Amino acid sequence: VQIDELDTPTLTADLDAVERNIARVQRYCDEHGLALRPHIKTHKLPELARMQVDAGARGITCQKLGEAEIFADAGFDDILISFPLIGRQKIERLRVLAERIRLCVAVDSDEGAAALEGIGVDALVECDTGFGRTGVQTPEAAARLAGRVERFRGLMTYPTPPGTGEWLRRVLDLVGEVDCVSVGGTPTASSVHELGVATELRVGTYVYGDRACLANGSVPLADCALRVLATVVSTPTPDRAILDTGSKALTSDLAEGATGHGLLLEHPEAAVYKLNEEHGHVDVSHCADRPRIGDRVSIVPNHACATVNLYDEIVLHRGGEVVETLPIRARGKLR
Amino acid sequence: VQIDELDTPTLTADLDAVERNIARVQRYCDEHGLALRPHIKTHKLPELARMQVDAGARGITCQKLGEAEIFADAGFDDILISFPLIGRQKIERLRVLAERIRLCVAVDSDEGAAALEGIGVDALVECDTGFGRTGVQTPEAAARLAGRVERFRGLMTYPTPPGTGEWLRRVLDLVGEVDCVSVGGTPTASSVHELGVATELRVGTYVYGDRACLANGSVPLADCALRVLATVVSTPTPDRAILDTGSKALTSDLAEGATGHGLLLEHPEAAVYKLNEEHGHVDVSHCADRPRIGDRVSIVPNHACATVNLYDEIVLHRGGEVVETLPIRARGKLR
């Protein structure tokens, strides 16, 4: 079966491109002595995580405890949860999971550190090296929190803006050497060795690529594996085509450095300028060959991770020939 | 069990508010002799659609064929699919579904009309009365298409900007009286009788309400039934709190007339100013009582329909007491 024969909207990934992406980043990590711990929030598929680990990744990263439970069930035994775990129910589930696999979690508060006491999980102190999200605010605060964490193993940050290396080095000056300094982010994934302090790379989006990766140069179009297949369902005016893919198929996420809601490969002059829930509005006024009702198009979505999270399954293919259709097992695991 | 005891993120709906919303709009339709055909894209739950039909609704509206199949399986036998159905596979599935239930679909093109020949479904000609999405562009084009539709039953539009009544009346002047003139949209749902031509109202969001409904005045806060329950997982600075609800729990959809990503009920002075996938960034600098790590909060999401589509299940409650947890059966039915 060819993917061109599948009804739309359908989410597809090119396995050849996936394999190239896995190999490229693994090679980079190997060359620079970095452990690779891919973030499964992008694909949410145990099958692809297995490919990543088989290629040399040292464990995986999950963003939510519910994702980690799914992947533990699938046989993964070394998981970092890069999100603060707060609340009685989460800690109880964490305790149960920690009895089965090697588990490490992010911590950025005294409350978080206290909750982990006696639970049997390692912890990385999350550092805010400039992103302005979670994480302790100064190297001194990181060192102080490290002293309060029962099983302190190292540091974690995301992403790695200028100054990150110095920031983390200052913590190490205060606490001494650590097992792990974990840094994340696909856009800067090819230069984290320059930080001089990272021991581990966490990246997710690199495996599929997306329109944001195209805009920031981290994944070339030839390696963008993910496509949303769509159909033109209406051409109400000569300048407007409507696709059967709206925000429930493409997300409302924008891509930094690009306008609109996805790259329409068959019509690169077209602009997906607006989304309703099930309608994609396309300005085709600049298209030499304007799409017609019934035409099928392939869209590189703005944001791979958020798009994948909308679908129950994904079709893997090689050169357009369907290899298999996989359930996106960790989709919607918000807890 | 109280909803306050449930782990987060969790999606909840207040059944008392749902019932008030269903009753209010049904009463309006009854008073004005309008048929109500609620749009299930908002809740995607056969159980709530049953409440709507039991209250007096004349059938339901679905946006995608896959939703209609789920609802037909659940016993609904009068469904409008308010979306152009294009493509061989869709038409074949439509034919099968039409053998089981009374089915009507939107059509806005000659191609769409031709595809319906011999399929055994009724059709409404979709009219673009100002929204600039799907739909024929002029009353004359609507009349022409009506003549090409095998089982033409009437007209359909969404939403109803000024001039909609005249637009549709002009079509009727050309084609004569029709069975159905169906109009949609929660924001204007209480004034469609003023169009003087509508026979049917399609509305979805009214059943839950959301932050956009608050901003446009269509659903008061007391009747906003939907909440995303979240936990404060980090307070990295005195002015910033981080929730465990990001774009995968709240969507990236904005609400017209409001800024940010949801209304935080316990802290109305707080602003959810940014979302990452699993992190909600909250500016708490204006809060008299600043949220602390571990605090639970309740969020009225920007856009009910898109938010619901992210969750596998929803918890229904009355006054905070859990009534039942339902699978969101038509979630992700994009085809």
Side-chain angles (χ1 to χ4, degrees), chain A residues 5 7-10 41 64 89-90 108 128 133 234 236 240 244 252-253 276-277 312 331 335, chain B residues 5 7-10 41 64 89-90 108 128 133 234 236 240 244 252-253 276-277 312 331 335:
Chain A
E5 302 168 49
D7 199 8
T8 66
T10 284
K41 67 165 179 127
K64 288 289 177 101
Q89 287 123 312
K90 291 262 177 7
D108 78 343
D128 181 355
R133 189 166 72 180
S234 176
R240 184 165 75 236
D244 59 353
S252 295
D253 283 14
N276 299 122
E277 285 165 55
D312 288 328
R331 194 218 77 75
R335 292 192 286 269
Chain B
E5 301 167 49
D7 199 6
T8 67
T10 285
K41 67 168 178 123
K64 288 288 177 105
Q89 288 123 314
K90 292 262 177 7
D108 78 343
D128 181 356
R133 189 167 73 181
S234 176
R240 184 165 76 235
D244 58 354
S252 294
D253 283 14
N276 299 121
E277 286 165 55
D312 289 329
R331 193 219 78 75
R335 293 191 285 269

Side-chain angles (χ1 to χ4, degrees), chain B residues 64-87:
Chain B
K64 288 288 177 105
L65 180 56
E67 294 174 341
E69 290 168 338
I70 296 277
F71 277 75
D73 288 347
F76 293 87
D77 59 4
D78 182 354
I79 300 181
L80 167 67
I81 303 176
S82 55
F83 192 88
L85 291 177
I86 298 292

Side-chain angles (χ1 to χ4, degrees), chain A residues 5-10 41 44 63-64 67 82-84 86 88-90 93 108-109 111 128 131-135 137 231-234 236-237 240 242-245 247-249 252-253 273-274 276-279 281 293-294 296 303 305-306 309-313 331-335, chain B residues 5-10 41 44 63-64 67 82-84 86 88-90 93 108-109 111 128 131-135 137 231-234 236-237 240 242-245 247-249 252-253 273-274 276-279 281 293-294 296 303 305-306 309-313 331-335:
Chain A
E5 302 168 49
L6 303 174
D7 199 8
T8 66
T10 284
K41 67 165 179 127
K44 294 176 178 275
Q63 198 74 336
K64 288 289 177 101
E67 294 173 340
S82 54
F83 192 88
I86 298 292
R88 182 179 51 77
Q89 287 123 312
K90 291 262 177 7
R93 285 164 58 200
D108 78 343
S109 67
E111 293 87 340
D128 181 355
F131 191 49
R133 189 166 72 180
T134 37
Q137 296 295 298
T231 298
V232 176
V233 296
S234 176
T237 76
R240 184 165 75 236
I242 300 293
L243 303 176
D244 59 353
T245 48
S247 62
K248 285 177 176 171
S252 295
D253 283 14
Y273 63 92
K274 181 180 174 179
N276 299 122
E277 285 165 55
E278 305 288 5
H279 298 75
H281 300 235
I293 289 177
R296 299 166 56 94
H303 186 187
C305 317
N309 189 51
L310 296 171
Y311 290 79
D312 288 328
E313 56 185 35
R331 194 218 77 75
K333 298 302 172 207
L334 287 164
R335 292 192 286 269
Chain B
E5 301 167 49
L6 303 175
D7 199 6
T8 67
T10 285
K41 67 168 178 123
K44 294 176 179 275
Q63 198 75 336
K64 288 288 177 105
E67 294 174 341
S82 55
F83 192 88
I86 298 292
R88 183 178 52 77
Q89 288 123 314
K90 292 262 177 7
R93 285 164 58 201
D108 78 343
S109 67
E111 294 87 339
D128 181 356
F131 191 49
R133 189 167 73 181
T134 37
Q137 296 296 297
T231 298
V232 176
V233 296
S234 176
T237 76
R240 184 165 76 235
I242 300 292
L243 302 176
D244 58 354
T245 48
S247 62
K248 285 177 176 171
S252 294
D253 283 14
Y273 63 93
K274 181 180 174 179
N276 299 121
E277 286 165 55
E278 304 288 5
H279 299 77
H281 299 234
I293 290 176
R296 298 166 57 93
H303 186 188
C305 318
N309 189 51
L310 295 170
Y311 289 80
D312 289 329
E313 57 184 35
R331 193 219 78 75
K333 298 302 172 209
L334 287 164
R335 293 191 285 269

